[in-house]
Amino acid sequence: MKSFSLLTLLISLSPGLSLGSAASSKSGWATLPSITLYPRQEHVTLALNSTTLAILGGIIPAMNGDTPTFNTTGILQFYSLPTRQWSLASPAPVPLNHPNGAVVDGKIYLLGGLYDSHDGIWRATPDSWVYTPSKDSWTSLPSLPANDTARGSAAMGMYKDVVYLAGGESVLPLIPGQVQQSVDDVSAFDTRTRKWISLPEKAKKLPGRRDHAGAAVVDGVFYVLGGRDMGQENVRGDVFALDLNNLKKGWVVKNGKMPTPRGGIAAGQVKGKIYAFGGEGNPVEGSNGVYDQVEAYDVKRDTWEKLEKMKLPRHGTSATSIGGGIYIPGGGITQSGSPVDAFDVFYP
Ligand SMILES: *[C@@H]1O[C@H](CO)[C@@H](O)[C@H](O)[C@H]1NC(C)=O
Ligand SMILES: *[C@@H]1O[C@H](CO)[C@@H](O)[C@H](O)[C@H]1NC(C)=O
Ligand SMILES: *[C@@H]1O[C@H](CO)[C@@H](O)[C@H](O)[C@H]1NC(C)=O
């Protein structure tokens, strides 16, 4: 039947056409069920496996008498892609915002973060834990070594059983005008031996201090994109790269710069491109301090391209890639604390 085969041909040639079929046929933004319980910001989003993502830690809206405030939380929640349901798991042993989270072999590693010392300053803990889904329980791990600066908001890379933490923020005062302390330390934790490992000299420090950066490992290379240095407005657009198969070579600064330098971004990777979403510190009037840009870095070509903007611009969130989609739950919709429960996915 001629007309039928023509229709089939047209469908197979239209990559944007959504027929509820394979994820690869989708393109653009889609809204997903909101985070249950609380709006969330400054959490980490992780792909637990091929069907489930996790959000861990962050800040939630709360009241202090009659005054709205934020509580730092250790809440761990899962979202199932097939059932579109959120569920609750055992919270982290300590409430942390800007947690350094990673998944290796189905387990969640929480390697420090920032805690609320209830004096207007968020400080870093070196303490670390691992979560085992089959037991729904947390176990202590060795703390970050004293050589390395304790911090939250590190750029995270996972490769061959090792979790890499690049940069981060050691002190985050909530009082305007006080300096947010960015670091250039790079640390590594071996999940197999459960030991922190010593990196070669040239791999141990980033080419510059960074926190709130984007990160991804593509073909064994750890990329740290954008971020900021000592404060929300001090945005940066560099791409730093470390070959994890040749650590002695150390960090290099790539030629490709982000079209819109920014920190507080969420990043995810699909097919050799790293996508950077939103961010904070936008000086443009009417932006509420939030960036709406979506820009993609092609690791092979060392070039950036600008894409369709975020439907709901946010910062202070974190993204994870599963099956061709980049999932972005929560985040803040104005500069500083303004958590939302919105959840969307971007298909490049
Ligand atoms: C926030 O923390 C305070 C003090 O620990 C507690 O009383 C309150 O219930 C918390 N609010 C939420 C929403 O978790
Ligand atoms: C993914 O993890 C969730 C939570 O532990 C579990 O219920 C689910 O069966 C896992 N799915 C796969 C495909 O491993
Ligand atoms: C910490 O520093 C000591 C002394 O310089 C060194 O022997 C050790 O390997 C370092 N540890 C790590 C994990 O870098």
Side-chain angles (χ1 to χ4, degrees):
M1 223 168 87
K2 227 174 182 167
S3 59
F4 177 75
S5 54
L6 180 64
L7 180 66
T8 313
L9 181 69
L10 283 174
I11 289 169
S12 61
L13 286 177
S14 308
L17 211 62
S18 179
L19 292 171
S21 53
S24 59
S25 69
K26 294 176 187 165
S27 140
W29 290 96
T31 303
L32 294 171
S34 300
I35 303 171
T36 51
L37 274 189
Y38 304 108
R40 197 72 44 83
Q41 191 183 322
E42 315 305 346
H43 53 285
V44 67
T45 305
L46 301 162
L48 192 63
N49 57 41
S50 60
T51 61
T52 305
L53 65 79
I55 58 171
L56 171 64
I59 57 170
I60 58 172
M63 295 301 286
N64 183 4
D66 294 334
T67 315
T69 181
F70 301 106
N71 278 6
T72 292
T73 182
I75 295 177
L76 172 63
Q77 277 166 287
F78 295 146
Y79 176 81
S80 162
L81 272 55
T83 68
R84 295 169 66 92
Q85 299 282 323
W86 284 97
S87 60
L88 202 56
S90 289
V94 171
L96 293 176
N97 61 66
H98 300 82
N100 305 317
V103 169
V104 178
D105 212 8
K107 293 194 167 97
I108 300 174
Y109 292 82
L110 173 55
L111 307 174
L114 303 182
Y115 62 92
D116 187 355
S117 33
H118 300 287
D119 60 354
I121 299 177
W122 290 340
R123 293 185 176 81
T125 177
D127 293 347
S128 303
W129 301 267
V130 60
Y131 172 85
T132 308
S134 59
K135 297 183 185 149
D136 187 31
S137 72
W138 290 88
T139 313
S140 283
L141 294 173
S143 298
L144 187 76
N147 308 24
D148 299 24
T149 312
R151 70 257 196 204
S153 191
M156 304 296 289
M158 285 73 77
Y159 189 62
K160 291 185 176 167
D161 299 325
V162 178
V163 182
Y164 296 86
L165 292 73
E169 190 162 42
S170 58
V171 180
L172 201 167
L174 303 173
I175 310 124
Q178 289 206 15
V179 173
Q180 302 189 0
Q181 196 67 49
S182 313
V183 308
D184 59 4
D185 301 49
V186 181
S187 312
F189 183 78
D190 187 328
T191 61
R192 208 172 25 84
T193 60
R194 296 203 163 171
K195 286 194 171 112
W196 291 90
I197 51 183
S198 191
L199 291 170
E201 211 51 47
K202 285 183 178 169
K204 260 181 189 175
K205 296 277 178 192
L206 281 174
R209 292 178 304 230
R210 290 294 181 274
D211 57 80
H212 289 83
V217 174
V218 183
D219 296 335
V221 180
F222 181 18
Y223 296 89
V224 175
L225 310 94
R228 63 199 204 202
D229 183 5
M230 314 290 262
Q232 279 137 308
E233 283 88 11
N234 303 326
V235 293
R236 298 289 182 264
D238 304 293
V239 177
F240 299 151
L242 177 67
D243 184 348
L244 299 176
N245 290 309
N246 188 1
L247 292 168
K248 284 207 175 80
K249 214 178 103 203
W251 288 93
V252 296
V253 182
K254 306 297 286 186
N255 289 323
K257 308 281 179 208
M258 290 180 88
T260 315
R262 57 217 145 91
I265 54 180
Q269 58 159 310
V270 175
K271 290 187 189 142
K273 285 185 185 171
I274 307 169
Y275 296 80
F277 300 88
E280 182 187 32
N282 192 348
V284 173
E285 209 166 312
S287 69
N288 287 323
V290 176
Y291 289 94
D292 57 8
Q293 277 83 0
V294 180
E295 295 167 346
Y297 178 67
D298 184 320
V299 303
K300 284 232 166 65
R301 296 164 69 191
D302 190 16
T303 55
W304 284 86
E305 64 184 307
K306 284 169 161 279
L307 299 165
E308 186 187 349
K309 295 195 162 169
M310 293 183 89
K311 290 265 192 281
L312 179 65
R314 317 203 282 291
H315 73 95
T317 180
S318 153
T320 196
S321 318
I322 302 179
I326 304 170
Y327 293 79
I328 315 175
I333 53 168
T334 65
Q335 183 144 330
S336 301
S338 48
V340 293
D341 56 9
F343 179 25
D344 52 16
V345 55
F346 181 76
Y347 298 99

